[in-house]
């Protein structure tokens, strides 16, 4: 009972934290030119933070929505690996699995695999998923509505917000030397190609190069 | 066009999540996949930071966004919460434009 309560308390804590960060997603998405409905649709249907920020970031910087969509999908590839780790912990029945898939994100994976037994992992997964989903969408709506009322988002520094959001998402992944080197290399490569290719394409070039790097490295 | 892109992106992200739960573990436990996939967000997020700070359209530029990024880096190093990192960067850009 006590464990149950602590799982739910942790889930709410994470939900509130991500809700606060959804405020900035709603604001950035609206400032990038997406409608209120499109912004909310991303949080309901895509429901994976980094991909959502990437799509609206690319659109806001003048790239095509298709370049943004490709970047979002590439960033979403890590969720497939989370699924592998969660697969043995979650329900196997068809519709529950299809519903669970929507909740496979950074936060639910971290909370679920940290638990000691399958029932606790399952509870942590669903409680975290429900809390984050609810507050993520609420935060998005509030952030988008607040920004809708503003005359010129650039005056308030909204164009400087997306890089800070990407940085905050990146920082926890930089705890070793190799990811740090990859991050610096990726930044330089993207800036070098930027003048010569359509907007958003530097990101795809970076993705291809890092994939080649990863495959070559895992052989040796 | 915007809607089509948004919906295709949402469908792709859901398909990836479902694939992880549904594909035989051997496919995704291939060492090449396990090594490569975690590197992709690192590279993409870093490329997003760089391009959205130092460019406008097809031109490389150095403007108040660089100062905003420096403030964001300081906030991250101080372990500030997500919203504080983003808000401090936006406030820096807004204040410098007022000067």
């Amino acid at each position: 009972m006590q464990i149950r309560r602590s799982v739910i308390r942790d889930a709410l804590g994470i939900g509130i934290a991500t809700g606060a960060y959804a405020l900035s997603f709603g604001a950035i998405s609206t400032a990038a030119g997406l409608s209120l409905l499109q912004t909310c649709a991303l949080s309901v249907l895509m429901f994976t933070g980094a991909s959502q920020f990437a799509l609206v970031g690319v659109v806001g910087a003048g790239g095509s929505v298709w370049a943004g969509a490709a970047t979002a999908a590439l960033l979403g590839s890590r969720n497939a690996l989370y699924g592998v780790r969660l697969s043995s912990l979650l329900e196997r029945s068809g519709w529950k699995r299809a519903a669970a898939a929507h909740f496979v994100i950074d936060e639910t994976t971290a909370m679920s695999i940290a638990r000691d037994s399958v029932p606790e992992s399952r509870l942590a997964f669903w409680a975290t998923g429900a809390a984050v989903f609810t507050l993520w969408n609420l935060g998005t709506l509030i952030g988008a509505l607040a920004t809708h009322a503003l005359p010129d988002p650039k005056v308030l520094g909204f164009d400087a917000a997306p890089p800070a959001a990407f940085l905050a998402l990146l920082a926890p992944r930089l705890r070793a030397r190799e990811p740090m080197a990859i991050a610096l290399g990726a930044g330089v490569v993207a800036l070098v190609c930027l003048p010569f290719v359509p907007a958003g394409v530097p990101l795809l070039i970076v993705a291809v190069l890092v994939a080649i790097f990863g495959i070559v490295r895992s052989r040796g | 066009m915007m809607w089509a892109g948004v919906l295709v992106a949402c469908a792709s992200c859901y398909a990836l999540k479902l694939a992880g739960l549904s594909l035989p573990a051997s496919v995704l436990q291939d060492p090449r996949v396990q090594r490569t996939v975690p590197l992709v967000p690192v590279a993409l997020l870093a490329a997003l930071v760089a391009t959205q700070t130092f460019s406008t359209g097809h031109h490389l530029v150095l403007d108040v966004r660089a100062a905003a990024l420096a403030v964001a880096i300081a906030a991250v190093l101080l372990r500030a919460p997500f919203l504080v990192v983003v808000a401090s960067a936006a406030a820096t850009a807004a204040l410098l434009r007022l000067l």
Side-chain angles (χ1 to χ4, degrees):
Chain A
M1 207 60 217
Q2 202 149 23
I3 290 174
R4 214 183 144 80
R5 209 172 294 163
S6 93
V7 167
I8 290 172
R9 196 174 47 228
D10 287 357
L12 276 176
I14 290 210
I16 290 166
T18 52
Y21 124 53
L23 288 173
S24 59
F25 171 73
I28 287 169
S29 177
T30 307
L34 278 83
S35 71
L36 182 66
L37 206 57
Q38 285 162 344
T39 300
C40 290
L42 279 172
S43 280
V44 173
L45 300 173
M46 188 178 280
F47 190 53
T48 175
S51 296
Q52 293 179 224
F53 273 105
L55 188 145
V56 303
V58 168
V59 170
S64 85
V65 68
W66 297 108
T71 310
L74 284 165
L75 275 167
S77 60
R78 73 190 188 291
N79 290 329
L81 291 198
Y82 296 157
V84 175
R85 304 179 70 180
L86 291 170
S87 184
S88 58
L89 301 173
L90 296 176
E91 290 84 350
R92 301 206 171 272
S93 86
W95 71 268
K96 268 196 180 162
R97 180 148 292 222
H102 196 51
F103 281 178
V104 175
I105 53 171
D106 298 311
E107 291 82 359
T108 50
T109 306
M111 295 289 284
S112 183
I113 61 179
R115 292 285 156 187
D116 300 324
S117 69
V118 168
E120 281 175 38
S121 287
R122 241 175 233 192
L123 175 67
F125 177 85
W126 288 104
T128 308
V132 171
F133 187 78
T134 307
L135 291 157
W136 178 252
N137 281 291
L138 187 65
T140 300
L141 180 64
I142 294 171
L145 284 174
T147 315
H148 248 301
L150 299 174
D152 180 7
K154 199 176 167 183
V155 174
L156 290 172
F158 268 94
D159 56 330
F166 295 127
L167 177 76
L169 292 166
L170 174 63
R173 301 173 202 274
L174 294 182
R175 298 224 172 93
R177 198 173 295 174
E178 189 189 79
M180 191 67 111
I182 287 173
L184 288 173
V188 170
V189 167
L191 289 177
V192 168
C193 346
L194 183 126
F196 311 106
V197 295
V201 174
L203 299 168
L204 308 182
I205 294 173
V206 163
V208 170
L209 289 179
V210 78
I212 294 170
F213 172 84
I215 291 165
V216 169
R217 277 298 296 272
S218 56
R219 267 197 207 141
Chain B
M1 199 58 154
M2 185 72 89
W3 267 116
V6 164
L7 293 175
V8 166
C10 290
S12 312
C13 286
Y14 179 74
L16 283 162
K17 292 170 172 177
L18 188 62
L21 286 181
S22 313
L23 285 177
S26 58
V27 178
L28 293 168
Q29 266 164 356
D30 182 299
R32 282 166 299 184
V33 175
Q34 287 285 327
R35 263 251 340 120
T36 306
V37 170
L39 301 180
V40 172
V42 171
L44 280 178
L45 290 169
L48 281 161
V49 171
T51 54
Q52 304 218 343
T53 301
F54 300 108
S55 75
T56 299
H58 285 283
H59 301 283
L60 299 182
V61 291
L62 194 60
D63 60 19
V64 296
R65 288 173 295 170
L69 181 66
V71 169
I73 291 173
V76 163
L77 290 175
L78 293 170
R79 303 186 175 280
F82 188 93
L83 201 56
V84 174
V85 175
V86 174
S88 62
T92 303
L95 282 175
L96 288 174
R97 286 202 181 103
L98 277 180
L99 297 177

